[in-house]
């Protein structure tokens, strides 16, 4: 049997981090087994579904690199098909028309509550043979009355539901629109889904879905219900905890692969390995090793994973995201050193791309203003003198190479009888606007001779005026 999984988000908001993890697990499971990973947009709730949310889902999936193997399916485009299946079920007797009015249902409910019973539809239209004139009926599924449904959950183990607890679910409303659980069933069936991996908020839908599938003569898929993600305070992850949408993580400076790596470890483990390449994730992931208990989101760990990725990843794989962040700061990185070289110079000290972009902006844009504190400390009249001498030295260098720059800076410190910091810090403030930068020789080399000299001269003039 070839594995087919799907991710089936409802487009009612952004793609959140929990959804992304479910998508990742489904994706990895399909990849591992050489199967197919599908995307289905569950947009039947027309009031809450928006085009913007559909786009946010596509954007999030694309950014994470979780490509589906076929074009996405939209449930709203399949209403005709759901209607046909409902008609087939009516013919087969596995579904029936129900003409009960709102008032009747309410009365039923009140009576059950008065008897301290769980409110449920009592099946009074199950044997009705005549329509009620003037009433548009709903269609209900004829749920088995006896026995039990055992969900052999791949994560949670066996979960038993008594059929007596499940009432006859409405599958088509009186206005002809299909209901949520019914669409899911028809789609999982017709898409050939073999493994449903989804959030455990859907556990209670599963026995109903299995019953409908069985009534259709389909073999139900296997289910794996993934526990939710909690915030660091142990409460379900929500906006209150900070960023929850995947694209916000992009804006915070995380690499997509680092986010995936962080997510795969959120509730799943492989020994004590923390870092996985994509290939390893695909090969080693196993749904059966996903923990039963909810996982806690840990921002510090995500930052750590991200930094590890920045340090290890080939710089050309980081350049695209780095560019995106520079552009967000209003910087056009076309004019300046190669992004890959700046990444190499910065990655030890930058944990996120936001940090890296902020600390690298000066390579591509003029220094608009000096950091006040740094300028007060390092751009002093004494520094003006040093900068003056340095300009002369650097102008005279036969070649603009890190080694030559290094020798000039060190030589000057020696000549002036000052510590290296007395030369290096004024240079940093002059070229970067602040007293932090990669090593001076590398920084000036990447910045280029022309830009370096202009900035050193400007800083010298600034320092001399003090
Ligand atoms: N559309 C559902 C949701 O976004 C998922 C349903 C499913 O995976 O079966 O929660």
């Amino acid at each position: 049997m070839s594995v087919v999984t799907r991710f089936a988000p409802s487009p009612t908001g952004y793609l959140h981090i929990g959804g992304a993890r479910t998508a990742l697990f489904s994706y990895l499971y399909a990849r591992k087994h050489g199967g197919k990973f599908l995307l289905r947009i569950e947009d039947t709730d027309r009031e809450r579904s928006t085009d913007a949310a559909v786009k946010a889902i596509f954007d999030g999936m694309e950014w994470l690199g979780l490509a589906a193997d076929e074009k996405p399916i939209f449930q709203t485009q399949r209403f005709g098909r759901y209607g046909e299946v409902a008609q087939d079920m009516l013919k087969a007797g596995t579904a029936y028309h129900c003409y009960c009015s709102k008032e009747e249902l309410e009365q039923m409910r009140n009576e059950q509550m008065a008897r301290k019973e769980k409110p449920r539809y009592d099946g009074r239209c199950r044997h009705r043979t005549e329509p009620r004139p003037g009433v548009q009926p709903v269609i209900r599924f004829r749920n088995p009355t006896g026995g039990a449904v055992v969900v052999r959950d791949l994560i949670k183990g066996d979960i038993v539901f008594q059929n007596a607890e499940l009432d006859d679910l409405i599958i088509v409303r009186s206005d002809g629109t299909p209901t949520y659980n019914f669409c899911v069933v028809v789609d999982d069936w017709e898409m050939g889904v073999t493994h449903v991996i989804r959030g455990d908020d859907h556990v209670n839908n599963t026995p109903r879905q299995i019953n409908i599938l069985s009534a259709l003569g389909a073999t139900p898929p296997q289910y794996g219900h993934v526990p939710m993600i909690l915030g660091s305070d142990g409460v379900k992850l929500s906006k209150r905890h900070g960023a929850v949408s995947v694209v916000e993580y992009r804006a915070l400076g995380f690499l997509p692969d680092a986010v995936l790596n962080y997510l795969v470890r959120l509730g799943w483990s492989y020994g004590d390995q923390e870092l996985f390449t994509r290939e390893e994730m695909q090969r080693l992931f196993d749904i059966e090793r996903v923990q039963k208990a909810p996982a806690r989101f840990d921002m510090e760990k995500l930052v750590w994973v991200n930094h590890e990725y920045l340090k290890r990843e080939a710089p050309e794989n980081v350049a695209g995201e780095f560019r995106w962040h520079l552009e967000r700061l209003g910087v056009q990185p076309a004019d300046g050193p190669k992004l890959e070289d700046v990444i190499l110079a910065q990655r030890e000290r930058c944990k996120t791309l936001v940090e890296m972009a902020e600390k690298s902006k000066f390579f591509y844009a003029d220094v608009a203003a000096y950091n006040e504190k740094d300028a007060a400390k390092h751009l002093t009249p004494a520094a003006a003198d040093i900068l003056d001498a340095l300009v002369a030295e650097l102008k005279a260098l036969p070649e603009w190479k890190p080694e030559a720059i290094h020798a000039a800076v060190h030589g000057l410190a020696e000549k002036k009888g000052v510590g290296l910091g007395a030369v290096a810090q004024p240079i940093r403030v002059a070229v970067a606007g602040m007293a932090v930068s990669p090593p001076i020789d590398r920084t000036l080399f990447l910045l280029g001779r022309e830009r370096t000299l202009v900035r050193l001269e400007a800083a010298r003039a600034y320092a001399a005026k003090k």
Side-chain angles (χ1 to χ4, degrees), residues 6 8-10 40 42 180 184 188 196-198 201-202 209:
R6 78 329 188 253
S10 306
R40 178 169 85 221
E42 302 207 319
Y180 169 73
V184 170
D188 282 341
V196 169
I197 296 169
R198 62 183 170 199
D201 46 335
H202 289 283
Q209 294 181 3

Side-chain angles (χ1 to χ4, degrees), residues 354-397:
V354 166
E355 204 182 334
M356 193 181 277
E358 273 162 5
K359 289 186 173 158
S360 305
K361 202 177 154 181
F362 74 88
F363 281 115
Y364 304 98
D366 291 342
V367 174
Y370 299 124
N371 172 293
E372 250 173 65
K373 258 214 210 129
D374 291 345
K377 188 161 170 205
H378 301 295
L379 295 185
T380 58
D385 184 41
I386 290 173
L387 291 172
D388 202 29
L390 183 73
V391 166
E393 298 258 352
L394 295 181
K395 264 189 187 157
L397 285 186

Side-chain angles (χ1 to χ4, degrees), residues 89 92 94 141-144 148-150 163 185 189 206-221 223:
M89 290 175 73
T94 51
F141 171 58
R142 196 184 293 274
N143 199 77
V149 186
V150 182
N163 272 321
V185 161
W189 177 37
T206 307
R208 300 175 180 284
Q209 294 181 3
I210 289 179
N211 279 339
I212 302 175
L213 283 161
S214 303
L216 288 168
T219 310
Y223 294 87

Side-chain angles (χ1 to χ4, degrees), residues 16 22 27 60 121 124 150 155 193 198 204 274 318 337 367:
H16 59 86
T22 310
Y27 172 87
Y121 182 66
R124 62 182 64 174
V150 182
I155 297 168
V193 173
R198 62 183 170 199
N204 289 331
E274 289 292 356
V318 178
V367 174

Side-chain angles (χ1 to χ4, degrees), residues 146-282:
V149 186
V150 182
V151 180
R152 301 205 174 278
D153 195 277
L154 295 166
I155 297 168
K156 294 179 182 285
D158 288 359
I159 315 170
V160 182
F161 295 86
Q162 298 301 326
N163 272 321
E165 296 285 313
L166 308 171
D167 57 3
D168 291 348
L169 185 83
I170 296 176
I171 57 174
V172 178
R173 300 182 190 89
S174 55
D175 66 2
T177 57
T179 58
Y180 169 73
N181 273 298
F182 185 55
C183 299
V184 170
V185 161
V186 174
D187 288 343
D188 282 341
W189 177 37
E190 297 197 330
M191 290 162 79
V193 173
T194 59
H195 293 78
V196 169
I197 296 169
R198 62 183 170 199
D200 68 359
D201 46 335
H202 289 283
V203 166
N204 289 331
N205 289 329
T206 307
R208 300 175 180 284
Q209 294 181 3
I210 289 179
N211 279 339
I212 302 175
L213 283 161
S214 303
L216 288 168
T219 310
Q222 285 190 271
Y223 294 87
H225 288 95
V226 182
M228 62 176 130
I229 303 178
L230 305 178
S232 52
D233 54 359
V235 177
K236 186 173 188 239
L237 194 68
S238 69
K239 263 214 163 327
R240 224 166 32 79
H241 297 95
V244 276
S245 112
V246 165
V247 288
E248 278 179 87
Y249 284 88
R250 181 181 204 192
L252 288 171
F254 295 104
L255 286 167
D257 280 13
V259 172
L260 288 184
N261 192 140
Y262 176 73
L263 287 178
V264 81
R265 281 285 291 105
L266 203 54
W268 172 80
S269 59
Y270 185 78
D272 50 15
Q273 186 171 339
E274 289 292 356
L275 300 172
F276 298 84
T277 62
R278 251 175 202 262
E279 184 279 321
E280 281 176 317
M281 280 191 221
Q282 289 176 20

Side-chain angles (χ1 to χ4, degrees), residues 1-171:
M1 174 190 69
S2 150
V3 165
V4 179
T5 65
R6 78 329 188 253
F7 176 49
S10 306
T12 54
Y14 38 74
L15 173 61
H16 59 86
I17 206 80
R21 184 182 58 152
T22 310
L24 173 65
F25 286 177
S26 298
Y27 172 87
L28 292 177
Y29 196 79
R31 286 286 87 85
K32 180 187 172 107
H33 294 281
K36 269 197 300 195
F37 167 67
L38 307 178
L39 178 60
R40 178 169 85 221
I41 303 295
E42 302 207 319
D43 54 351
T44 54
D45 183 347
R46 284 176 156 155
E47 265 165 33
R48 295 178 58 224
S49 302
T50 64
D51 289 345
V54 172
K55 184 169 183 309
I57 291 165
F58 288 160
D59 288 351
M61 297 289 280
E62 191 188 338
W63 182 67
L64 289 170
L66 298 178
D69 293 309
E70 285 175 13
K71 281 226 290 244
I73 284 169
F74 289 80
Q75 287 189 325
T76 41
Q77 291 173 7
R78 287 177 45 78
F79 274 16
R81 182 61 193 140
Y82 305 135
E84 279 169 21
V85 176
Q87 290 305 319
D88 290 346
M89 290 175 73
L90 282 173
K91 274 190 216 124
T94 51
Y96 61 92
H97 281 129
C98 166
Y99 294 85
C100 292
S101 65
K102 246 199 195 136
E103 295 70 33
E104 244 171 305
L105 293 173
E106 205 163 301
Q107 195 190 348
M108 185 190 308
R109 191 184 155 84
N110 291 340
E111 286 170 7
Q112 287 166 334
M113 302 247 285
R115 292 197 300 268
K116 305 233 173 324
E117 288 171 15
K118 202 167 127 190
R120 59 203 295 283
Y121 182 66
D122 66 3
R124 62 182 64 174
C125 284
R126 276 187 156 223
H127 306 292
R128 173 186 283 281
T129 44
E130 292 302 312
R132 233 185 229 181
V135 179
Q136 267 303 324
V138 300
I139 302 176
R140 286 186 187 269
F141 171 58
R142 196 184 293 274
N143 199 77
T145 45
V149 186
V150 182
V151 180
R152 301 205 174 278
D153 195 277
L154 295 166
I155 297 168
K156 294 179 182 285
D158 288 359
I159 315 170
V160 182
F161 295 86
Q162 298 301 326
N163 272 321
E165 296 285 313
L166 308 171
D167 57 3
D168 291 348
L169 185 83
I170 296 176
I171 57 174

